Amino acid sequence: MNDSIKRTIRRALLRRGLRIYSVNKFGLDVESDVRKFVAGEFRTIFDVGANTGQSAIRFGEAFPTSDIYSFEPVPDTFETLKRNTASNPRLHAFQCAMGAKPDRAKIYLGDVSQKNSMVAETGKSVEVEVKTIDGFCEENGIKGIDFLKIDVEGFEFAVLDGAAKMLDGHVKFIYCECALSPSVEEPHIELTELQERLSPDFVAACFYPEAFSYGSCYGNALFMHRSLVPR
C-alpha cells in the first residue's frame, strides 16, 4: 500500500473520529501491553468491582484460556453480571465485595451502578457481604493471580489490605482505577498514593486515561511485579 492511499484512509477515518495505531504502541490497550512482559496465557484473573461484567467479558475475549473471577456485591448489578457472563464457563461470578477483613458493610448507591461506593455516602445504601482476596484464594486453592483488576470507587486500599499474602510474590499485574489529582466529587484514590502503597514490590508500568471530571483526570494504572521488569 503506497503512502497516498494510507493518507487517504487515515483522513477518512479521522472524519469519523477514528485513528489507526500500531499494535506495538504502548499505552493504548492493557491486554496487549501485558503480553509484552509475559509469554503465554494467563491462568487466573480477578475482577474486583465487576459491575455488570464489562471488564470480565473483555478479558475473556483477550485471554480465552484464563479463569476470570468477578466480584460484585450489589444484588441488582450482580444479577446483570451473571446474565452477561453466563455464556462463558470460564467467567465465575461471586456476590460479594472485597475488603480488609470478612464482614458485612454498607455500599452506597450512586445514580449509576458504576458509582456505587463503600466510601462515598450518598444516603441510599444496601448491606453486602465483604470477603478478602487472601481468604477467597485460600478457600478455593488459588495459588497465584496473574492479573488483578480493582475498580471500587475509593475502597482500593481496603482491597489491597485483604490481599497482603497474595501480594507477597503471588500477583503479577495490578490494574487499578485512580486519579492523577484529588477531587472532592469523585472518590478515586490518587496515583501517587497508590504507587506509594504498592512500592517497592510493584512498579508503575502505564496509565490509561478515561475521563476528565470535576477538575481531575482519572483512569486506570497498570502496575507490574518488580520481578517482571525487563533488564
Side-chain angles (χ1 to χ4, degrees), residues 26-197:
F26 193 72
L28 297 176
D29 181 88
V30 67
E31 294 91 342
S32 297
D33 289 344
V34 296
R35 292 183 190 276
K36 297 178 176 69
F37 298 106
V38 176
E41 287 292 325
F42 286 170
R43 294 182 60 188
T44 305
I45 295 173
F46 271 33
D47 179 12
V48 181
N51 197 247
T52 59
Q54 306 95 314
S55 295
I57 294 169
R58 170 182 160 189
F59 297 149
E61 293 172 350
F63 306 105
T65 63
S66 298
D67 282 305
I68 301 172
Y69 298 85
S70 296
F71 305 96
E72 171 55 47
V74 178
D76 290 345
T77 311
F78 175 73
E79 290 303 318
T80 305
L81 167 66
K82 281 203 304 182
R83 289 196 300 271
N84 290 344
T85 59
S87 62
N88 187 339
R90 288 192 172 273
L91 302 186
H92 315 286
F94 298 87
Q95 188 178 345
C96 64
M98 288 295 176
K101 62 180 181 178
D103 203 354
R104 301 283 302 179
K106 288 183 179 180
I107 185 167
Y108 298 90
L109 307 180
D111 53 355
V112 293
S113 62
Q114 291 91 337
K115 292 186 177 182
N116 296 342
S117 173
M118 306 286 281
V119 297
E121 299 187 14
T122 57
K124 189 175 181 180
S125 65
V126 295
E127 187 176 271
V128 298
E129 181 180 14
V130 181
K131 295 187 176 182
T132 69
I133 288 177
D134 283 342
F136 182 88
C137 289
E138 185 174 351
E139 291 170 6
N140 292 276
I142 296 172
K143 304 300 183 184
I145 301 172
D146 295 293
F147 191 87
L148 170 58
K149 171 255 177 181
I150 306 173
D151 183 354
V152 289
E153 303 299 312
F155 203 59
E156 291 80 7
F157 283 180
V159 173
L160 293 172
D161 287 343
K165 292 180 181 178
M166 294 302 294
L167 292 174
D168 188 16
H170 305 288
V171 177
K172 291 179 180 177
F173 293 96
I174 299 173
Y175 182 64
C176 186
E177 189 176 51
C178 57
L180 294 183
S181 57
S183 169
V184 175
E185 301 293 337
E186 298 284 349
H188 306 303
I189 60 171
E190 293 181 54
L191 174 59
T192 52
E193 296 176 330
L194 183 59
Q195 189 169 14
E196 183 177 353
R197 171 67 175 77

